[in-house]
Amino acid sequence: MATDYGSIQARIEQVVRSAPDATIALREAVAELKRSIPDYTWVGLYVLQEGELVLGPFLGKPSPHTRIPVGRGICGAAAAQKETIVVDDVNADDRYLACSLETRSEIVVPIMRGDFVLGEIDVDSDRPAAFRNQDRTLLEAIGRALAERMAERTV
Ligand code: SME
């Protein structure tokens, strides 16, 4: 049966909105994404702190890239451009910072508050070209829900 992206999005938005605090919201979003979509081999959140993307909650193999300056890697490029980046073949992209040898494709979605980048959702897949429009739509919606909760932490 095809993955029902609409109901996954509605469920995760609800989980993020009802989490008792922002830290739990971030952790729950990662857990829900990882278990909802089998192609999501690695799911993590980076939080922007003083010009660097700092790794927060993640599921999958530990990454060596726990701090990524804006502008470096695919993560840093997405933060600099303030736009989602989809890479169908990570080995053909010079920007790519390797996390696992098995990774074949990646999507990075900035979490925005107005014009400011608060962080990013980063998902890797062991399958080439795993990310389609429905993944972008899902992750951008979760990014908007997370932005609401992350903004709470700064007031
Ligand atoms: N591949 C990312 C680095 C993060 S790891 O995939 C977890 C990048 O190129 O920025």
Side-chain angles (χ1 to χ4, degrees), residues 38-128:
D39 270 345
Y40 291 8
T41 315
W42 191 94
V43 179
L45 297 175
Y46 284 89
V47 177
L48 189 66
Q49 288 175 8
E50 293 165 7
E52 284 195 322
L53 295 157
V54 179
L55 184 58
F58 71 93
L59 288 169
K61 288 186 191 169
S63 169
H65 304 294
T66 55
R67 300 184 80 91
I68 303 174
V70 170
R72 275 205 72 217
I74 295 163
C75 287
Q81 293 169 23
K82 303 181 179 182
E83 277 175 8
T84 297
I85 296 181
V86 176
V87 178
D88 287 343
D89 176 2
V90 292
N91 294 313
D93 193 315
D94 290 342
R95 300 170 296 183
Y96 176 62
L97 301 171
C99 172
S100 154
L101 289 178
E102 285 88 47
T103 298
R104 302 296 303 279
S105 56
E106 178 163 13
I107 183 170
V108 182
V109 174
I111 301 170
M112 304 289 297
R113 182 82 177 166
D115 195 42
F116 293 97
V117 177
L118 302 180
E120 288 182 345
I121 305 172
D122 181 14
V123 185
D124 293 346
S125 181
D126 290 353
R127 202 163 67 76

